[in-house]
Structure formats: structure tokens, C-alpha cells
Amino acid sequence: MPLDHRSAPVSATGRAPAPAPHPAPVPVPLADTGAVDPPTVLAAHGCWYPSADPTGNHVAFICDRAGVPQLWSGPAHGGDAHVLDADPDPVTEVSWSPDGRWIAYTSAPGGGEHTRVLVVRPDGTGRQVLAGAEPGASAHLGCWARDGSVLAVTVTRPSAAAGAHSGPGHLPQDAAPASPDAPTGGSWPERDGRATLLGPPDGGPAAGTGAGDPGGGLAAYLLDPDGTQAPVLLFDEAGAASLRVCDIGAEGRFVLLRRGPRGRREALLLDRFSGRVTFRLRVADGDPWIGRLSPDSRTLWLRSDADREFAALYGAGLDEDGAPQDLSVIAERAGAPLDLLSLPDHGRWALLAWNTHGASELETLGLPGADKGAGADGDDAGDGGYGADEAYAGAGAYGGDAVGARDRDDGTGPSHRPQLPHEVVTRMAPVGRGGLFAALSGSRRRPGIWEVSGRFAPVRTGWTAGDEDAAPPGRPPVRPVPLRCPARDGLLLGGWYYRAPERDPGRPGPCVIHLHGGPEEQERPVFNPLYHEILGRGVDVFAPDVRGSSGWGRSFVDADLGAGRFAAIADVADCAAHVVALGYADPLRLGVMGRSYGGYLTMASLVWHPELFRTGVAVCGMSDLATFFAGTEPWIARSAAHKYGDPEADRDLLRALSPMHRIDQLRAPVLAIHGEHDTNVPPTESEQFVRAARDRGVRGEMLTLRNEGHEFLRADNRRLYRRAAADWLEQHLVPDVLASARAW
């Protein structure tokens, strides 16, 4: 039965938006790609982001065996997978419709940051762009209605102020860096001077909705791939930082949204029939799929860190109008956040992935009030469905005291925890009849997809690369060692240390401190080809979580807000000092490297600690926070203001935190690497830093990767990136390498 389309579109204030919001997307048919698979160029390929069809017999997923992440599909128990979209545009997300008729996915034309949402039939026919086809537009994947009749999609609204975005983001050859005192062209909400973006008062206008706001906006639509139903506007917000439709209730009345800037995400429950927001709750950063409604829409399950350090599973009882009647924690772990939450349509059980100091623990949990006596289709649960007690009877095969059948005293039903062959779960795709497909990644394995059932150990799918293909012959993967590092103010940092093979354990060697992006990301023990390229040159890698990283609690994430970012910069030096004190690293051969926010920290470390590091590699980093805010996408700027500071109210702070304003302290040679189509952090950020270094007589080089955005997704570019970075570090940190032998 088609979804009931009676609705009143809603804005962030809980009221209907003004007339004539963002125009609805217009679908664009595309030519079928045919049945010919692209040639395999990567033996050591990866597979990730699985989504199963309703039967669980076929899986759609992303695979880079052709050199770029593309949409593939294959049988659950076979190896003959085939490409469904052979275009060279990288694919980032996948979702099979509940009725099995369509596969929706997101791709990035040209490898840039502007994405579009497409659909294709499981046989590769009927391919069309549902949203994001217009020049300069961008669209993001939401959920399907439970009957598969419509797909929720978020689209960007163009900026109201011409020129608010800087376009391609490159400096002309004769251009000077922008003045830090120049206006950014944005209108920002009032703040209290700290790095906390003030939200709208209850019932008041949303932040950034003033007439002078140049920040554009986001709108969520329901779109019918078959074209039989007109687009329906769900939600519209001017000046929005993020917006994702996470679930639509079975009757189509209630819709779960995730919105808000980084550090201030919230869940909204919308009543489409009345046009009211009936429920709000702060939710954790990280995975955008925050939860689901029960089949009768009387319970809302959420992954949230509301009023707590670590995200947990919450259950909210709802009345018939969607108003909360009670809110309680259903599952939690001491010192471990809930990373991923996934629930099948029947709502009898939940899949939970817990983050324990960077590694994952997978748990299946029967939910309160669910019918434990039947499988997903009402049949006897003996077929292995996770939603019944019998499904856990054979779980002892996993071994250990943390697994097996176990009745809980709190009434939430049985729980079991399978032992995984990889350290980290990156995505979970439940199958209604029982079991799931899990995307896994580990320190010694390429990303792959494994089938997990209630009766058997996880089984590798036939199209996932074998472990023997993880690394080049003769260079086995290095397993990292976890380290805890005290900062100078007593805060305990985490991280992973990779020792170069064949290094004398008692002899310190060259080492690079590698800094992840975000800053809310976390260093996880997953196979990183960049690290192994560097290790192969005789250089150790220490990958720490400085303050601001996720995985260590809300207080740790917020510890770098505002002026706390100076302490985050100091954390980099403290991490270097710690591995030197342990005898791992040679204090005279230290380098620093990072991507995105890690690129910013790399530049900052080079100018705040000029005598500590001999060289640096800054990848897609911000060199001046004022020019970053002026050049990035409007919704990214809106979200980033909470983390870094407001570009108007905190102008002096942002100037003080910008590496460009300490460029006279730079002593070490620096290599900058950037994607040419990066509109998250425009290439001007790297260009102006390298140019300023050269003006001061310091060696600075820049590598621009063609057809790439903020993420490097093409195999040839990733290889060039790894080799260029490793060459640079080897040249400056390994004493027996002659600089003249390197061609730059």
C-alpha cells in the first residue's frame, strides 16, 4: 500500500515553512551501464557499506576493485558480483529498498564534495538521478518508506548572497592571501563568547534564518523513483548545518530527523499530519543513522549521549500523538560509546556496535515488548532469526563468557556478542529473517563484508578480498600497539603506535605523528595503506587521539572548544615527547602529518613547535580559519562555528589559532597535498601556506590531485598520495637517503 502523503511540511521551528521553499528535485534518466564489469585493477580491493535485499539473498555494496568506489551487487553465498553503475564517479552510500525493486545510492561527480542521489534496478536497468543533477546542487541519501514506495532525500538550497561561496577555491598565481580582517560575508547568530554555537530559543526562529543570512539551507523531500507520485516536502531549514531523514513510521505519519551542527546534533520527531515537532533529544555525533521507530510508532529507539559521557541506546515511549511519555536507557557500556545502531523493520531486536578504545564489539539485543516467539515473518524462530530465544541457543560457538544465550533481568530479552575476525565494524545491514551483513575492517585486513548469523561464526562473502591480499608480497601488515599518553595538563590521550618492520626494538628510529581529521574522528586499528607505505621506508607512525577526538567521552570531545584548541596543539608536542621518552622515537628525526583537521594541526604544530619537527605533510588542511570560513560550503561553516568559534564574534581567537598568523615561526620544510575539487577545505588553504613558506625562504611544495575532493577516492591518486608523502618523509627523516635522489 503506498505511503499516505497527507502532510504539512515542517521547519526547524516546528511550524510550517514559508511558501515556495527549495524547488523539488527533477529526476534525470541515465543510460544503462550494461552488463560488462570494469577490469579489476586492484587485487587488494576493499568492499564496504552493504545493504541487503528483503530476502537476504543478495547484497548491494561499494567496491573499489576497478580503482574507484563503485556500486556492485552479488549473491550472499556466491562470488559472482557485478557492477551496477560503471561510471567513474565515486559512490559513498547504498540503500536497497524494502520492497526489493530499487537500489538507491549517493555518488560524487568528479570526486568533489557536491553529491547526488541515484537509483537503479537490481538488474542494472532504470538508472536515474533523483536529486542533485542541477549544476552546483548537492543531495544526500535518506531512508526509504517502509513499503519502499518513496525515498527521503536531502537537497541543498542555493545561497541567497551571490558570491558567498568562493567557487573552485584556487588562488591565481599573482594573488595575495586574503586579509584576516576582511569580512567573511556571513551573518551569524549571537553567542556568549565561548565556542558554543547558541541554538534557537524554544519556539523561536532557527539560527541563521534572518533575511541577511547567506548560508542557503537544506530541505528534505519524499521522492518516488517510479514517478507516479509528486515530490512531497517534509522539512525545510534555512542556515542548516546538517539534515538527514533517518526513519519514516509504518503509517507514514511520524518522521525521525537528525539535524544541527557538530557537537549539537539533535533528533526531531515530526508529525506530518499536524506539522508539529513532537519530540527533541540531543544525539551523538558520528554515524548519521541515529535510530528508528517501532512498527507501531509507539517507541522510538535512539543512539544518544544526552546528559551522559558516552552514547547509549535510549528508548522513548510515545503516545498516539508522538509525544514522549517516558525516556530510559536500554543498553549502555561503562567507558564505551555506542558507535552504530541498526534495527530491522520488525523491531524485535537491535544490532549494537560498541567502541572499546577504538575496537568494536558487536551485540544483538532483543527489544522490550517485542514478540520473542516468532521470526521476522511470523514463522517459528528455529530458522535462526535473532528475535527469538531459540536463535541464541547455539551461540556458544563464538566462545568466551561474553557470548551465548543469556536472559536479561531488565526485560529486554536475550543478548549475544559474536567474536569478530576484524577489529572494527563500519556498517551493519540486518536481514529481517535473522542475521546481518557487517562491513568489517582490521589492522591486518582490507575492508570486507561478512555474514553473521545466530548459529555460526562470521563467514566472509565470496566477493571480499582474502587476507593474503591485504599488503604487497614480502611486506606483511603491521599490527599496532595501543598507547595512552598524558598531556601536560593531565588529560589522558589515546593512540596507536606502528613500529617499522625489522627495527631493533631497543633502538629509537624516525617517527611521524599522524593526526586524523574531524577533529571528532577517532584513530581506529584498521588497515591503512598510507601507514604501511611509510613503515616500508623505515619510519614509525604514532597515530594519536588528541583532545577533541571521539571515542573517549563527551568531555574529551569538548575539551578543544574555543581557546581549548591551543591545548590540542600542545597535545601534538606532548605525544611526540611521550614516544621519545618511551625510547621508540628519535627526537632528532620527528615529523608531523595529518589530513583535514589533522592538516590544520600539522601546520599549527610546525609554527607552534618549530624546533620539534624536522618536516611536515599537511593534507587538505586549514591554514587560516577566517579564509576557511569564507571559502567553505555554507552549511559546513555553520556546523564548524561550534567547534572553532564564530567568524565574527570570535575573530580575534580564530586569528590567534590560525597557522598563517605565525608563519614567521616556520622552520621545517612542508609538503601540502590537496584535491582540486575540495569545497570543504578549499585548495587556497594549502596554496597560501606554501606560498608564504617560500616567501620566507622555507622549502614548500604542493601536490594537487586531479578529480578529487576532500577525500581521495581514486586508486591512482591514492597511490600517488601515499608515495609522495612517504618519499617526502623518508627524504627528511631517514639519514641515509640522499635528497638529490628525489625528483620534486
Side-chain angles (χ1 to χ4, degrees):
M1 178 178 179
L3 183 72
D4 188 343
H5 278 202
R6 291 177 299 156
S7 68
V10 182
S11 72
T13 64
R15 298 189 296 267
H22 190 312
V26 177
V28 177
L30 299 174
D32 295 336
T33 57
V36 179
D37 292 338
T40 297
V41 299
L42 296 177
H45 62 270
C47 298
W48 62 95
Y49 217 109
S51 183
D53 74 352
T55 68
N57 294 324
H58 289 82
V59 183
F61 57 96
I62 301 173
C63 183
D64 66 352
R65 68 176 66 183
V68 63
Q70 293 175 315
L71 177 66
W72 288 68
S73 177
H77 307 109
D80 54 342
H82 296 287
V83 69
L84 293 180
D85 187 340
D87 283 353
D89 298 331
V91 173
T92 57
E93 291 185 296
V94 181
S95 180
W96 207 312
S97 67
D99 60 9
R101 297 187 309 113
W102 291 101
I103 299 171
Y105 57 108
T106 304
S107 73
E113 301 309 303
H114 287 194
T115 57
R116 59 184 186 174
V117 173
L118 302 92
V119 291
V120 66
R121 299 283 189 185
D123 62 0
T125 64
R127 194 168 60 108
Q128 59 180 302
V129 180
L130 276 190
E134 302 85 0
S138 194
H140 307 279
L141 188 66
C143 68
W144 287 95
R146 299 200 183 193
D147 63 1
S149 61
V150 290
L151 175 70
V153 173
T154 298
V155 295
T156 60
R157 182 165 59 190
S159 172
H165 184 262
S166 60
H170 291 279
L171 285 174
Q173 291 299 314
D174 57 351
S179 167
D181 299 318
T184 61
S187 174
W188 299 85
E190 292 295 325
R191 301 177 61 256
D192 62 1
R194 299 171 299 163
T196 301
L197 183 65
L198 296 183
D202 291 340
T209 57
D213 172 37
L218 300 173
Y221 279 90
L222 294 179
L223 303 177
D224 175 14
D226 294 309
T228 61
Q229 306 178 60
V232 175
L233 175 65
L234 282 179
F235 189 92
D236 183 50
E237 181 178 1
S242 68
L243 180 62
R244 173 89 62 155
V245 181
C246 296
D247 193 25
I248 303 170
E251 299 301 321
R253 176 180 177 182
F254 295 108
V255 178
L256 175 63
L257 288 169
R258 172 186 178 266
R259 64 167 296 278
R262 289 153 53 182
R264 291 178 61 88
R265 311 288 192 197
E266 64 176 350
L268 299 183
L269 187 65
L270 308 182
D271 181 348
R272 295 178 55 226
F273 296 171
S274 69
R276 295 186 303 108
V277 174
T278 66
F279 177 84
R280 293 177 184 260
L281 184 71
R282 170 174 171 162
V283 292
D285 284 328
D287 186 69
W289 303 104
I290 56 173
R292 295 200 76 185
L293 288 154
S294 62
D296 61 2
S297 296
R298 298 302 293 268
T299 306
L300 178 61
W301 310 106
L302 289 172
R303 181 182 65 87
S304 172
D305 61 356
D307 301 319
R308 59 192 303 112
E309 277 290 311
F310 296 96
L313 175 61
Y314 277 76
L318 308 172
D319 65 17
E320 62 182 12
D321 295 320
Q325 300 300 294
D326 57 74
L327 180 68
S328 59
V329 174
I330 304 301
E332 61 182 328
R333 295 276 186 95
L338 179 59
D339 251 359
L340 301 172
L341 168 65
S342 187
L343 299 94
D345 284 346
H346 57 65
R348 294 186 175 91
W349 43 267
L351 300 169
L352 313 176
W354 300 94
N355 180 340
T356 304
H357 296 174
S360 296
E361 291 186 19
L362 183 62
E363 179 181 13
T364 60
L365 180 69
L367 295 175
D371 178 10
K372 305 298 191 301
D377 300 317
D379 299 325
D380 185 88
D383 64 355
Y386 276 71
D389 293 349
E390 292 87 342
Y392 299 88
Y398 292 111
D401 58 6
V403 299
R406 170 168 69 89
D407 288 327
R408 298 167 62 100
D409 295 333
D410 57 10
T412 59
S415 169
H416 96 283
R417 305 170 187 175
Q419 183 176 348
L420 301 173
H422 292 226
E423 288 98 325
V424 179
V425 180
T426 62
R427 183 64 44 191
M428 302 181 295
V431 179
R433 59 174 169 75
L436 73 145
F437 294 92
L440 306 177
S441 190
S443 60
R444 302 167 71 87
R445 297 173 172 92
R446 292 279 177 166
I449 299 173
W450 295 63
E451 185 176 11
V452 184
S453 73
R455 296 186 182 277
F456 305 102
V459 177
R460 187 205 319 267
T461 56
W463 14 268
T464 289
D467 293 347
E468 64 275 10
D469 295 325
R475 190 187 299 174
V478 173
R479 186 184 298 276
V481 176
L483 286 186
R484 301 305 301 272
C485 170
R488 63 191 64 182
D489 62 359
L491 186 65
L492 193 60
L493 314 176
W496 298 86
Y497 197 91
Y498 296 76
R499 189 77 165 172
E502 302 180 359
R503 168 78 46 74
D504 182 348
R507 183 178 180 182
C511 176
V512 60
I513 309 297
H514 187 277
L515 305 160
H516 63 67
E520 304 93 336
E521 295 176 14
Q522 182 186 11
E523 191 66 36
R524 312 293 292 268
V526 298
F527 183 81
N528 190 324
L530 170 66
Y531 293 175
H532 289 83
E533 185 80 36
I534 295 171
L535 293 166
R537 310 300 182 90
V539 179
D540 291 358
V541 177
F542 180 40
D545 289 321
V546 300
R547 69 191 68 205
S549 304
S550 63
W552 304 97
R554 171 54 59 184
S555 297
F556 193 91
V557 172
D558 290 344
D560 69 342
L561 296 182
R565 200 154 314 282
F566 292 112
I569 297 171
D571 286 347
V572 182
D574 294 340
C575 289
H578 185 66
V579 293
V580 168
L582 290 174
Y584 296 170
D586 184 340
L588 299 181
R589 291 186 286 165
L590 289 171
V592 62
M593 177 182 179
R595 196 195 69 81
S596 192
Y597 176 73
Y600 159 80
L601 275 185
T602 296
M603 298 181 200
S605 299
L606 292 174
V607 298
W608 259 271
H609 312 295
E611 306 303 327
L612 180 60
F613 297 107
R614 292 193 57 178
T615 191
V617 180
V619 185
C620 302
M622 305 94 73
S623 61
D624 189 311
L625 293 175
T627 56
F628 159 70
F629 273 108
T632 189
E633 301 284 359
W635 58 92
I636 293 176
R638 180 72 57 182
S639 191
H642 168 69
K643 291 300 296 184
Y644 304 130
D646 187 278
E648 290 183 356
D650 294 321
R651 179 174 299 182
D652 291 342
L653 173 64
L654 296 181
R655 177 187 175 93
L657 286 166
S658 295
M660 281 295 294
H661 295 286
R662 291 179 60 94
I663 195 68
D664 59 323
Q665 299 296 310
L666 183 65
R667 302 288 185 272
V670 60
L671 170 66
I673 303 176
H674 224 110
E676 69 168 334
H677 299 314
D678 190 348
T679 57
N680 186 330
V681 178
T684 48
E685 294 300 307
S686 288
E687 293 168 4
Q688 63 191 7
F689 193 80
V690 168
R691 184 171 300 178
R694 292 174 175 175
D695 289 345
R696 286 156 180 79
V698 178
R699 184 182 178 191
E701 304 289 346
M702 182 166 175
L703 171 64
T704 300
L705 297 178
R706 304 302 178 190
N707 295 315
E708 299 286 5
H710 197 59
E711 303 282 348
F712 305 153
L713 300 175
R714 304 179 189 279
D716 53 348
N717 281 328
R718 295 200 305 269
R719 189 179 303 111
L720 175 60
Y721 159 55
R722 294 195 302 267
R723 291 178 177 175
D727 282 351
W728 183 272
L729 293 171
E730 182 184 23
Q731 179 184 143
H732 292 93
L733 300 181
V734 180
D736 57 351
V737 174
L738 297 177
S740 59
R742 301 301 176 191
W744 290 93

